[in-house]
Amino acid sequence: MGGKTVVLGLSGGVDSAVAARLLQEQGYTVYGHWLDIGLGGREDAQQVAETFGIPFSAGDIRRELEASVMGPFQRDYLAGRTPLPCARCNPTVKFPALFRRAEEGGADWGATGHYARIAAGPAGEPLLCRGAHTNDQAYMLARLPQHWLSRLVFPIGGYEKTQVRQLARDFGLPVAEKPDSMEICFIPDGDYAAWLEARGAVPPPGHFVDRTGRVLGRHRGIHRYTIGQRRGLGIPAAHRLFVSEIRPETQEVVLSDGTDLMADTVWGEDFNPLAPLTEGEELTVRLRHSKTETPARFYPEGTGGRLELLTPARAPTPGQLAVLYRGDWVLGSLWITRARRIPG
């Protein structure tokens, strides 16, 4: 390798396949690297590599995935938190694996098919920016260390998903009509509760209770619920019920009418700075992987910080990621630990 050479995470899906072709058009020598998690999929990735004449390699990341993502995923649910495994995987497993492959071959860059962009900041420093895709995937990259940004390329960051799908058809890609993967990669059927139960050591059944402690019914384990959830509760009531609190110490799930879910302050830990930020400046924050952004002010506290929400937000959830934005720039992120609710 060497020169204008890039190692691309080649998943076998549409996004990374189109990214490969766009990188070639930009003059890169592309090497495809598929990450093996033990559930197959190599054939599609290898076929894409053969279509474009890209050298192909594979790396087994099962051990790292278990230690850094799957184990913590299980422990979060045992503790009553709602984890975000992709945001943990990117800085601890996926991107380190790509960089290892790049270093082995002397490549200059790493690349993926994420809908995100790298842009120059005021001093010329690389900044992580949201992509054109309406489902901003920069959110899932907000745990990457800032010093990695100078070595990354996101070729499809300026495209919408429909454009990428059309490019795949135009390029004659064998995966052009392959459905998008929407689930957690290590739980392809989406049934995370069954996955946890198959691993053992899940929380026991317990009580649904109201705010006064009155028992409303039985549940099958706190790992099956998240703050703000309405569906699947199975408790008859005169009004709709929502999960308002999860109490792992007593195995109780607190239900309410939802009027107590709004919060005006959120605390988090392990702040990861990605761009210059002035304490108390007005910015926007995403408190979950959705399109909703909330105006806020951020105040560092220890290794984490406090977000004073200028507009109340619904159900900030421990274990999820708070990502801070100034326009398109991603300023940093922290893991949500608690929130102050507005009395309903």
Side-chain angles (χ1 to χ4, degrees), residues 265-268 271 277-283 296-310 324 334:
T265 309
V266 173
W267 286 267
F271 181 59
L277 174 63
T278 302
E279 180 176 342
E281 75 168 274
E282 186 171 341
L283 44 80
R297 298 186 188 277
F298 176 68
Y299 299 91
E301 293 184 355
T303 60
R306 181 181 82 255
L307 286 157
E308 297 288 350
L309 306 182
L310 304 181
L324 284 55
L334 63 166

Side-chain angles (χ1 to χ4, degrees), residues 69-81:
V69 182
M70 295 163 67
F73 180 86
Q74 182 176 15
R75 290 192 291 275
D76 274 344
Y77 272 111
L78 286 168
R81 296 185 292 268

Side-chain angles (χ1 to χ4, degrees), residues 103 199 294:
E103 289 163 4
R199 286 169 63 94
T294 301

